[in-house]
Amino acid sequence: ANDFGRLLQDEVFVDVGRLREMSKQGIPSEVRAEVWRYLLGVSHAEQFQDAAQLQKLQEDYRSRNTYNADYGKQAKREIDRYLERYAARQGSMIDMICGYLNSHDEVLSPHMVHVAGTLTLVLSANRSREVWEAEAYHCFSTVLNQRKHGDVKLQMSTFLSLFAVLQQDLHQHFEEEGLEVSDWLTSWMQGLLSRELPVKCVLRLWDSYFANPDICGLHPYVCLAILDELKEDLEEMDHHDLRIFLSALPALNMNQIIVNALNIQQVAQHLL
């Protein structure tokens, strides 16, 4: 935390490149919100420009933040299923999602709720709602803009090709049990596992994701690493149990999962 603190306390310039390198190993919880704002481009590295940038973000968010009853009702239904996780922030989450959908040609999907919820859990700390909600909205937009439909489809294709080659026994078991991709993988890919993993695991995973300009580049390999870690349990499950288990994963050692994902990514370079 001290190393992060020294970087963040620079009164002239915050070295975002150095922050990225350090964040790959995980970010201490007490500075995670501030670091994420830099990694996702919400806070400006040049400190004298930071106040002006914040004002611009707030004005932009206010211009988009018009409540839409249909979007609001749909989002609230998903939030209500995870009320223990998101209850205190559901109003802000709905406002953020409505603001995004008002200005993007997309339809509401459950993964949007979980991406918004995870960001609000972190970014709402020690800030007024007016400030953090605008910041969280722009972080939310940044993440979703990297999860556009074409990008998700490409990563799903990469995952499925590697899954069939690298984990043949588990792949065959899924096929024998009639487990469809739409039963689990679409959600894993769209929401960066924000719906499926415990919050603590998601935060550690996203530290590494946000540390890279291509925040989603490692994701297919993380999904493969998770299946590899859970392979023995998964091979004992039938279709019904697989669907339940894959929608609510247990706590995992995310440091080890990330290391394994990087190894799989290296192997994949010689296969694809």
Side-chain angles (χ1 to χ4, degrees), residues 6-226:
R6 281 192 287 272
L7 279 177
L8 296 169
Q9 288 166 14
D10 194 304
E11 296 180 357
V12 178
F13 177 79
V14 173
D15 187 344
V16 177
R18 179 67 180 137
L19 273 184
R20 289 190 186 282
E21 283 304 311
M22 293 168 59
S23 298
K24 291 177 182 179
Q25 308 304 318
I27 303 169
S29 58
E30 58 266 33
V31 295
R32 178 174 281 122
E34 191 171 0
V35 174
W36 278 16
R37 287 194 287 268
Y38 282 105
L39 299 182
L40 294 172
V42 167
S43 292
H44 203 290
E46 300 280 359
Q47 293 296 283
F48 74 94
Q49 296 189 37
D50 199 39
Q53 175 148 314
L54 177 57
Q55 183 177 354
K56 183 179 179 181
L57 291 178
Q58 289 177 276
E59 291 172 354
D60 180 72
Y61 179 53
R62 283 194 293 268
S63 73
R64 301 172 190 271
N65 185 16
T66 303
Y67 181 74
N68 180 299
D70 290 336
Y71 295 151
K73 288 177 183 176
Q74 292 176 55
K76 189 175 185 306
R77 280 197 293 271
E78 183 67 14
I79 292 169
D80 284 347
R81 296 176 59 197
Y82 294 81
L83 203 54
E84 184 178 347
R85 195 183 275 199
Y86 302 133
R89 300 164 184 85
Q90 62 177 314
S92 294
M93 290 168 61
I94 290 170
D95 288 346
M96 288 163 54
I97 292 167
C98 287
Y100 180 83
L101 293 173
N102 286 336
S103 53
H104 292 76
D105 185 23
E106 297 183 45
V107 297
L108 191 143
S109 176
H111 78 275
M112 295 180 182
V113 169
H114 298 279
V115 172
T118 303
L119 290 168
T120 62
L121 287 174
V122 173
L123 296 171
S124 58
N126 303 318
R127 310 277 270 193
S128 69
R129 176 171 175 175
E130 182 182 16
V131 170
W132 74 255
E133 195 173 299
E135 292 174 332
Y137 168 78
H138 286 279
C139 290
F140 177 65
S141 296
T142 296
V143 174
L144 289 195
N145 285 338
Q146 288 211 22
R147 300 311 290 152
K148 292 295 187 183
H149 184 61
D151 180 57
V152 172
K153 287 182 66 176
L154 179 62
Q155 290 202 335
M156 287 181 67
S157 177
T158 297
F159 170 90
L160 291 169
S161 297
L162 291 170
F163 185 35
V165 173
L166 298 177
Q167 299 179 16
Q168 295 180 17
D169 292 345
L170 186 58
H171 182 269
Q172 182 177 348
H173 178 64
F174 280 15
E175 287 195 334
E176 290 173 351
E177 291 298 327
L179 193 69
E180 299 289 341
V181 168
S182 58
D183 291 337
W184 63 285
L185 184 59
T186 303
S187 178
W188 278 34
M189 286 289 172
Q190 288 180 330
L192 300 175
L193 293 164
S194 55
R195 189 183 194 182
E196 291 79 18
L197 280 171
V199 171
K200 186 176 181 180
C201 296
V202 178
L203 300 186
R204 172 62 192 93
L205 180 62
W206 286 15
D207 289 344
S208 289
Y209 282 3
F210 295 166
N212 291 284
D214 177 9
I215 64 177
C216 310
L218 190 62
H219 190 60
Y221 311 103
V222 167
C223 294
L224 288 163
I226 288 173

